[in-house]
């Protein structure tokens, strides 16, 4: 049990809590920061059984802020 928690925390530290609780969560890209052009995202979490709501909100965000599929040119 401890090994499972430790590996979850090391693999996905921001989502680990939700994974262990069994609550559905998603990280949805929302664009890039204005200063460095690095990608940004928002983490959404729903209560158990809320997958449909979670996916619906994620779809709305992606429609409003489509994610660029190409990487910017870094120098």
């Amino acid at each position: 049990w401890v090994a499972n928690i430790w590996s979850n925390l090391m693999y996905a530290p921001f989502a680990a809590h939700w994974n262990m609780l069994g609550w559905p969560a998603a990280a949805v890209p929302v664009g890039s920061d204005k200063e460095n052009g690095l990608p940004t995202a928002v983490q959404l979490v729903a209560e158990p059984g809320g997958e449909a709501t979670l996916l619906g909100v994620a779809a709305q965000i992606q429609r409003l802020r489509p994610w660029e599929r190409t990487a910017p040119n870094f120098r």
Side-chain angles (χ1 to χ4, degrees):
W1 184 80
V2 172
N4 185 28
I5 290 176
W6 182 255
S7 63
N8 204 327
L9 286 169
M10 293 297 101
Y11 176 72
F14 299 113
H17 305 90
W18 305 116
N19 292 340
M20 289 185 275
L21 287 173
W23 288 41
V28 181
V30 294
S32 303
D33 77 345
K34 293 179 181 171
E35 188 174 322
N36 299 311
L38 298 173
T40 59
V42 62
Q43 183 177 10
L44 307 172
V45 180
E47 61 186 16
E51 288 86 355
T53 302
L54 181 69
L55 292 173
V57 172
Q60 288 179 14
I61 291 171
Q62 288 189 325
R63 273 194 300 278
L64 294 172
R65 298 191 57 113
W67 179 250
E68 281 189 56
R69 298 284 177 186
T70 57
N73 293 327
F74 289 103
R75 292 177 183 38

